[in-house]
Amino acid sequence: MMNVLSFADSFAQHIRTFQLDDSSVALIALLAGMIGGYRITGWHAQLKARRAKVIAKSHSVPRKLD
C-alpha cells in the first residue's frame, strides 16, 4: 500500500514542477490537432462506408411494380 502512495506522491510532485512554455503549448496543440484530424478522418470514412452500404442495399432490393 505504501508503494502505491509513494508513487502517487512522486507523480503529483512531478506534475506540479512541470512548466508550460510556448514550445510545450505548441507541441500539445500540434498533438491535439493531429489526434483530432485522425478522429475526424475516421468518422468520415465510417459515414462514407455506411452511405455506400445503404445505396447498395437500395439498388439490390427489387421493387414491386403495380
Side-chain angles (χ1 to χ4, degrees), residues 33-47:
M34 288 173 61
I35 291 169
Y38 286 132
R39 293 197 63 153
I40 289 172
T41 303
W43 288 334
H44 180 69
Q46 286 177 353
L47 289 174

Side-chain angles (χ1 to χ4, degrees), residues 18-35:
F18 185 70
Q19 302 253 340
L20 285 177
D21 57 351
D22 289 342
S23 63
S24 298
V25 172
L27 178 63
I28 292 169
L30 174 72
L31 293 174
M34 288 173 61
I35 291 169

Side-chain angles (χ1 to χ4, degrees), residues 1-3 5 8 16 18-20 23 30-32 37 42 47 54 56 61-62 65:
M1 184 67 162
M2 188 59 106
N3 191 14
L5 292 177
R16 275 185 256 131
F18 185 70
Q19 302 253 340
L20 285 177
S23 63
L30 174 72
L31 293 174
L47 289 174
V54 168
V61 175
L65 297 174

